[in-house]
């Protein structure tokens, strides 16, 4: 029972490079989310999806894109990484408002 | 956007002491959730509250949904070393779906043995 799996766990990017973070869940959840966590800021919602083929902007969407081609996967893309995107990224999924299940995070450093 | 004010930001206590933290908002919330995050891991749900006035326990943890629906608190009794971590409150604002969960800034708990 894997729950929510994020890959990779760590990544260092140079400014301007692109990358994709993968989130996979095996709980058949409809809702999936990408958050970023910065010191003293808590968790801030980047993008979310309410079902396969749907995406929507969260609180801090600029500089990120997402896709949900399959129900179990939610991809977060950075087209041109900036140092301000250095953060820990968490994916989560849920089927209702009964609380989210989080992945273990991806620590991204942009130099 | 909507914000939750979580306090205190950090706590340094002795093993065996009780802990209390809270979250407040200027808006009404339909759901309050409390999460714990261990170092290097994602947050894990501890307690979920769905009704104003609701008091729910999970072992040594007790949380309450405030009567005004604008606040919630979490108590930990007889703290032990494994309680160390960051505790987050989260709330679902009234009129919003599950995708509109808002998180507090977190309370970092440190325990001296």
């Amino acid at each position: 029972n894997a729950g929510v799996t994020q890959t990779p766990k760590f990544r260092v990017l140079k400014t301007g490079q692109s990358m994709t973070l993968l989130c996979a869940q095996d709980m058949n959840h409809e809702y999936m989310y990408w958050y970023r966590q910065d010191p003293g800021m808590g968790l801030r919602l980047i993008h979310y999806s309410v079902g396969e083929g749907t995406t929507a902007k969260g609180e801090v969407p600029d500089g990120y894109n997402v896709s949900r081609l399959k129900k179990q996967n939610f991809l977060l893309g950075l087209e041109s990484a900036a140092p301000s995107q250095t953060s820990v990224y968490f994916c989560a999924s849920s089927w209702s408002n009964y609380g989210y299940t989080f992945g273990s995070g991806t620590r991204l450093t942009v130099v | 956007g909507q914000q939750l004010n979580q306090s205190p930001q950090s706590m340094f206590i002795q093993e065996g002491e009780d802990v209390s933290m809270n979250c407040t908002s200027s808006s009404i919330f339909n759901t309050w959730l409390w999460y714990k995050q261990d170092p290097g891991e994602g947050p894990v749900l501890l307690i979920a509250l769905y009704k104003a006035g609701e008091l729910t326990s999970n072992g040594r943890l007790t949380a309450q949904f405030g009567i005004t629906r604008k606040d919630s608190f979490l108590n930990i009794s007889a703290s032990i070393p494994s309680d160390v971590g960051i505790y987050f409150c989260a709330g679902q604002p009234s009129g919003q779906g599950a995708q509109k969960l808002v998180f507090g800034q977190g309370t970092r708990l440190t325990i001296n043995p």
Side-chain angles (χ1 to χ4, degrees), chain A residues 36-44 84-89, chain B residues 105:
Chain A
R36 60 178 289 172
Q37 183 177 31
D38 302 294
M41 301 292 288
L43 290 155
R44 293 183 293 169
S84 61
Q85 293 178 305
T86 293
S87 186
V88 181
Y89 293 86
Chain B
Q105 303 97 319

Side-chain angles (χ1 to χ4, degrees), chain B residues 4-111:
Chain B
L4 294 178
N5 296 313
Q6 187 171 348
S7 65
Q9 290 188 357
S10 60
M11 302 183 72
F12 298 86
I13 64 170
Q14 297 294 123
E15 183 177 351
E17 290 184 7
D18 296 342
V19 173
S20 182
M21 60 190 77
N22 68 82
C23 264
T24 61
S25 172
S26 58
S27 305
I28 291 175
F29 281 72
N30 288 337
T31 303
W32 284 96
L33 306 165
W34 285 92
Y35 286 85
K36 182 194 177 195
Q37 184 179 25
D38 290 325
E41 297 295 328
V44 174
L45 182 65
L46 299 173
I47 294 178
L49 304 158
Y50 303 106
K51 292 173 56 177
E54 181 180 355
L55 185 70
T56 298
S57 293
N58 179 6
R60 294 177 295 103
L61 278 63
T62 302
Q64 185 161 26
F65 193 138
I67 291 292
T68 65
R69 297 172 63 190
K70 294 182 178 181
D71 61 355
S72 177
F73 72 77
L74 174 70
N75 286 341
I76 305 173
S77 62
S79 59
I80 59 177
S82 62
D83 291 334
V84 166
I86 303 176
Y87 292 80
F88 289 99
C89 63
Q92 179 193 348
S94 177
Q96 302 291 331
Q99 63 271 23
K100 296 300 184 183
L101 209 58
V102 177
F103 283 82
Q105 303 97 319
T107 295
R108 183 179 296 274
L109 179 62
T110 303
I111 299 176

